[in-house]
Amino acid sequence: MSDNTKDPEEPSYKRVKPVTKSNSLTGVITPVKTPALKRIGQSISRSISFRTERSKASSFPRRRNSQCWSDTVESHDLTAKEIKRQEVIYELTQGERQLIEDLSLVKKVYYEPMLKLEIMTESELGQIFGTLDSLIPLHEDLLKQLERLRGSEKTVGEVGPTLLNWFPCLDAYVTYCCNQVGAKALLDQKKSEKRVEHFLRLCQESSFSRKLDLWNFLDLPRSRLVKYPLLLKEIQKCTPSEHPDEDTLPDAMEMIQSIVAEVNKKTGEAECQFYRRGLTYLEEAQRLPEIQQSRFLYCHGELKNNKGQRLHVFLFELALVLTRPGEDKDGGQVYSIYRQPLPNNLLNLEEIPDGEAGGGGAFRGAFTSGNDKVKNCFRVSSRGRSKANSHNLQANDSFSKQQWITSLRQAIIQSRDRNAHASQSQFSSCPDPALCHIADLSLSSDTEMAIQTSC
């Protein structure tokens, strides 16, 4: 309910996964150690007040206040359920205050100094920070409203109408979150520059950052957005059936869930478009229409092939694309397509049990040393095509493998269903019902065959 007081503070979402899920825009940037640049360091210190006078440097506390609602009142005669309700509303209020502080910090100690010192151009900073500055007034407005709701006894009566009226403001998150994919990529690219890396490292090592890096701060709005349904659910649990909020909280919940779903959808589309633009085609035959028609990514991440080569694999809505990552002339990330992409509706998936390489000595030698067993492997191939389109792939661990297996199965089924519906529409006006029946049987059989696995 209250924020973790452990020092240094770590965000709850700071977890590196082997497979990057669609719409997951989180990430952790690990600073690369470089020699200190004394001149730039001195300029940064002057710009953002890295002084010994704590009266100025401590305006952003290192620790988070762990105070609960019950700590703010001397006495009360509330029931345990009502106390819980007040605690959740207080957590909502404190969360808004802390978010405002963090976003203001980002503007003051990251954006403005980097612009002033010309560490990045105004255009680059605009791409990385996006519309973050416009989010601050939105949350300041909610905070003011929540504070006004607290009575003389520091309790909140109705909160539902306030949230119901304010939630539509969160539509602004569509623009911010859609920008995050490109923002993260550009930030990673710029960190290879010594001046940028040194500035960010100085900030992260300073007390105001609480040991968080810039991307942790830039991702705070997204993590805050997905927390609203959870907080609202807790408030609902603690609200008595006769309470006036019972009339508005369900509507507020429906609204925030709809907004989060829309942001997720638009962010997924933006992520898909971003990675599509980064694909490099070695030949025209690789330009499958299914790639361009895909609206989202199921997942993407690193896998090894049977030669031990590291590939970056994208599971788009309608196609599986294996690539070799690289950089363009400007240092941006690009992905050269490896072999022929595979349409999802033609995919066959086979899970390879640990210890059964299924690809001979070359497969085993690429993935293991000595007599070690091959682990975490699976095979994808294109139905009705030559064995040349078969790929034996190895995930980093069993968890990653299961993510890929689950996502591939889902992609195959949904792609087959999509084709089946399209075919049914096509045959709805078919003059010969018998031909239509044969076509439907063929599609159903293909769907069942696609997800067979060998154990």
Side-chain angles (χ1 to χ4, degrees), residues 98-108 132-133 135-136 139 173 176 217-218 220-221:
Q98 291 169 1
L99 179 64
I100 293 166
E101 290 175 358
D102 284 333
L103 298 187
S104 301
L105 179 147
V106 169
K107 179 180 178 182
K108 180 178 180 180
L132 182 141
D133 196 34
L135 302 181
I136 298 176
H139 293 279
Y173 270 67
Y176 182 79
F217 285 109
L218 293 177
L220 287 176

Side-chain angles (χ1 to χ4, degrees), residues 244-260:
D245 267 347
E246 278 294 293
D247 296 330
T248 52
L249 286 179
D251 293 336
M253 175 63 83
E254 183 179 351
M255 178 179 291
I256 189 58
Q257 289 177 335
S258 175
I259 291 172
V260 172

